[in-house]
Each structure stands twice: as structure tokens, then as C-alpha cells.
């Protein structure tokens, strides 16, 4: 019970931090730190995916605290629990799908450096992002139709303390998670091999993108391996290696962007300097006011 309580607090805190940091990343991208339009779109796309996954993780943590909070009073699912189960089964696949546009963009920049700017425009970027989210929409419709037709049932799993779908075949969901993961891994490996072989310059945005891609692949790898090959693990190990590492990616991605991008560091330095100056001015004003009163 004590281990469960610690895990609940840890998982919920991780997801809340991921939600806040990813939201802050989008705020910087849209309002403060202006990259090119296409770069903005690809990084924002990953941040939106991290927000969705973090929201699902927050409800997952709340469900461990009390099944009432996810719509399963007395461990009996109601309408909210059904919506949560479908969202959990669908949105958790958005992480690997959101990596595809970013990886495709960087691969084209490495393979076709002279034609990259003419191929990756704002319009084509939006098309790539939309196409990569289409499987998620198809998966959502597939789950909704399956539940509506009675093919699958939504029930509360006491072992996992969450609502889930008791399905006969997990193949569509495995494909939605495994295939994008494999494509990202293959494309990044090819891109890295070309960079190393040709001794090309590792640009700033390529370095930021590589940090996001590599950290995401490491975070998602245990979940992909465990589901694809049905690796036997104890409950405690599976929760640490798969669930916690899966959701902590929402913290790592924004931190990679904030730390690696010089504009964010410069903005943070200016903001800190401004706060220090305001604090010094306030102290001086208070000191002069005290002297005047005396």
C-alpha cells in the first residue's frame, strides 16, 4: 500500500510537470522564441502530443487514488469511464506518431539539403502533420465502433486501477504504436549514418531534434518491446520501466528544447536580470522611504 501511494504521487507529479512544461514550451514557441514557421510546427506538434499524454497520465494517477475520479464508482464503469478508456487506448499512441513529422523533416534536410527548403513548406508541413495524426483518428473511430457494436466491453481492472477495454485482438493498437516507433528508429539511424559518414555539421535545430527523438525513443522503447513481444515482467517492474518512463518523456522533451536552444537561455537570462533589477529598485525605494519617515 505504501509503495502504491508513493507511485501514485510520483506518477501524478510527473504528468502535471509534463503538462506545465509542454504548455510553457508552446507559449515560448508561439509568443517569445520565433523559429521558422516549419520548425515551429514540428516542435509544437510534439509538445501537443506530450500534453495529451500527460493529461491521460494525470487521470491514470487519479484513478489509482480513487476509482470514482475516473468514472468508476464501486469499480463499476459509467459513461466517463468509457470515454477515459477509449482516450487512454488512443492518445497514448500519439507520442510515437508525433515524432514522425519531425524525423521526416530532419531526414530530408540531411539527404536533400539543397531542396529541403522548397519541399518542406508551411503547407507541406501541415499536410505531413495531418497525415501522421490520421491513424490516431482511425484508431479512435475503431474503438468507438467496437464499443457501440458490443464487440468489446469497458470494465474496471482492479489490478491496474483503471478503466480499460477488454478486447480480443490488440493488433490495431500494437500497429499504431510499433510501426511509427520502428519508422522513427529506422529514419533516425539512416540520418545519423549519413551525418557520420559525410562528416556534416550538426546544426542547432538538428541537435535539438535529435535530443527530442532519442529521448522519446528511449522512453517509449520498454513499452513497445513489452507489448510487441509480451515480455513477462512483475507488476512493480512493469510500472517503473513502462508506465513511469513513458510519461516522464513529457518532462524530458521540453527540457531538451529549453536547455539546447540559445534563445530560450537568453530569454531566461534577461527575465532573471529584470527580476533582480526590480528587486534592487524596490529595496532602494523602501530604504529611502524608511529614511524619510525617520
Amino acid at each position: 500500500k505504501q509503495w502504491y501511494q508513493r507511485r501514485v504521487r510520483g506518477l501524478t507529479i510527473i504528468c502535471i510537470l509534463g503538462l506545465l512544461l509542454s504548455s510553457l514550451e508552446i507559449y515560448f514557441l508561439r509568443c517569445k522564441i520565433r523559429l521558422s514557421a516549419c520548425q515551429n510546427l514540428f516542435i509544437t506538434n510534439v509538445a501537443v502530443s506530450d500534453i495529451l499524454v500527460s493529461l491521460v497520465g494525470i487521470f491514470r494517477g487519479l484513478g489509482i487514488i480513487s476509482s470514482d475520479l475516473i468514472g468508476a464508482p464501486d469499480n463499476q464503469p459509467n459513461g466517463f469511464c468509457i470515454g477515459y478508456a477509449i482516450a487512454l487506448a488512443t492518445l497514448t499512441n500519439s507520442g510515437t506518431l508525433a515524432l514522425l513529422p519531425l524525423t521526416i523533416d530532419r531526414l530530408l534536410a540531411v539527404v536533400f539539403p539543397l531542396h529541403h527548403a522548397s519541399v518542406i513548406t508551411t503547407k507541406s508541413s501541415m499536410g505531413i502533420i495531418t497525415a501522421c495524426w490520421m491513424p490516431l483518428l482511425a484508431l479512435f473511430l475503431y474503438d468507438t465502433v467496437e464499443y457501440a457494436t458490443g464487440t468489446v466491453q469497458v470494465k474496471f481492472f482492479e489490478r491496474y486501477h483503471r478503466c480499460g477495454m477488454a478486447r480480443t485482438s490488440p493488433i490495431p493498437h500494437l500497429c499504431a504504436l510499433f510501426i511509427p516507433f520502428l519508422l522513427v528508429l529506422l529514419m533516425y539511424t539512416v540520418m545519423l549514418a549519413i551525418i557520420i559518414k559525410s562528416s556534416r555539421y550538426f546544426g542547432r535545430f538538428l541537435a535539438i531534434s535529435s535530443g527530442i527523438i532519442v529521448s522519446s525513443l528511449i522512453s517509449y522503447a520498454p513499452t513497445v518491446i513489452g507489448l510487441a513481444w509480451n515480455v513477462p515482467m512483475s507488476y512493480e517492474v512493469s510500472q517503473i520501466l513502462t508506465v513511469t518512463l513513458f510519461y516522464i518523456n513529457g518532462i524530458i522533451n521540453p527540457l531538451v528544447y529549453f536547455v539546447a536552444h540559445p534563445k530560450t537561455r537568453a530569454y531566461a537570462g534577461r527575465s532573471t536580470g529584470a527580476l533582480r533589477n526590480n528587486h534592487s529598485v524596490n529595496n532602494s525605494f523602501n530604504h529611502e522611504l524608511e529614511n524619510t519617515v525617520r
Side-chain angles (χ1 to χ4, degrees):
K1 184 178 180 181
Q2 292 177 351
W3 180 86
Y4 233 63
Q5 291 174 349
R6 288 195 299 268
R7 178 185 170 270
V8 169
R9 290 193 294 267
L11 178 62
T12 307
I13 291 172
I14 285 172
C15 293
I16 291 175
L17 286 176
L19 176 64
L20 294 176
L21 288 174
S22 298
S23 301
L24 184 62
E25 182 182 9
I26 293 177
Y27 169 74
F28 267 82
L29 284 167
R30 307 306 299 176
C31 301
K32 297 296 181 182
I33 310 299
R34 294 300 179 94
L35 302 174
S36 70
C38 298
Q39 293 175 351
N40 254 336
L41 287 173
F42 293 130
I43 299 294
T44 302
N45 181 53
V46 175
V48 169
S49 169
D50 290 335
I51 288 176
L52 294 176
V53 174
S54 296
L55 284 172
V56 172
I58 290 172
F59 279 103
R60 187 168 187 167
L62 294 176
I64 298 174
I65 296 173
S66 173
S67 60
D68 293 353
L69 297 174
I70 56 171
D74 300 322
N75 296 350
Q76 297 297 321
N78 58 20
F80 185 79
C81 184
I82 295 167
Y84 165 77
I86 295 176
L88 179 65
T90 305
L91 295 180
T92 48
N93 296 298
S94 65
T96 52
L97 288 168
L99 289 175
L100 278 174
L102 182 63
T103 311
I104 292 171
D105 169 68
R106 290 300 88 196
L107 179 63
L108 292 176
V110 171
V111 177
F112 307 106
L114 299 179
H115 304 286
H116 172 261
S118 60
V119 174
I120 301 298
T121 61
T122 303
K123 185 176 181 179
S124 63
S125 300
M126 289 297 298
I128 294 172
I129 292 172
T130 302
C132 289
W133 281 87
M134 285 296 104
L136 204 66
L137 178 61
L139 196 64
F140 175 78
L141 294 175
Y142 173 79
D143 284 341
T144 304
V145 170
E146 273 203 324
Y147 175 76
T149 56
T151 307
V152 298
Q153 292 182 344
V154 174
K155 63 179 183 179
F156 183 82
F157 294 90
E158 294 188 10
R159 181 186 179 188
Y160 303 107
H161 290 262
R162 64 175 175 85
C163 298
M165 304 184 74
R167 63 181 79 255
T168 55
S169 176
I171 292 178
H173 293 78
L174 287 177
C175 291
L177 183 67
F178 181 75
I179 293 178
F181 179 88
L182 185 61
L183 289 175
V184 171
L185 181 61
L186 290 176
M187 286 190 292
Y188 185 75
T189 303
V190 171
M191 179 179 68
L192 201 60
I194 295 174
I195 292 173
I196 295 173
K197 185 177 180 179
S198 59
S199 301
R200 294 186 183 180
Y201 175 67
F202 219 80
R204 184 175 59 202
F205 186 67
L206 181 58
I208 295 173
S209 304
S210 295
I212 292 175
I213 293 170
V214 171
S215 64
S216 299
L217 289 175
I218 294 174
S219 299
Y220 298 145
T223 301
V224 173
I225 294 172
L227 291 176
W229 285 279
N230 196 21
V231 178
M233 289 183 288
S234 67
Y235 181 68
E236 291 79 4
V237 173
S238 68
Q239 295 303 298
I240 294 172
L241 287 182
T242 60
V243 177
T244 305
L245 193 60
F246 188 93
Y247 288 111
I248 206 172
N249 187 61
I251 296 177
I252 297 175
N253 283 345
L255 289 180
V256 169
Y257 174 76
F258 291 141
V259 172
H261 204 288
K263 290 184 179 181
T264 56
R265 296 199 302 269
Y267 182 82
R270 290 196 301 269
S271 301
T272 304
L275 289 174
R276 289 176 178 174
N277 291 334
N278 291 335
H279 184 67
S280 300
V281 170
N282 290 334
N283 287 340
S284 300
F285 177 77
N286 292 333
H287 183 68
E288 292 177 1
L289 183 62
E290 289 177 1
N291 291 335
T292 304
V293 171
R294 289 175 182 175

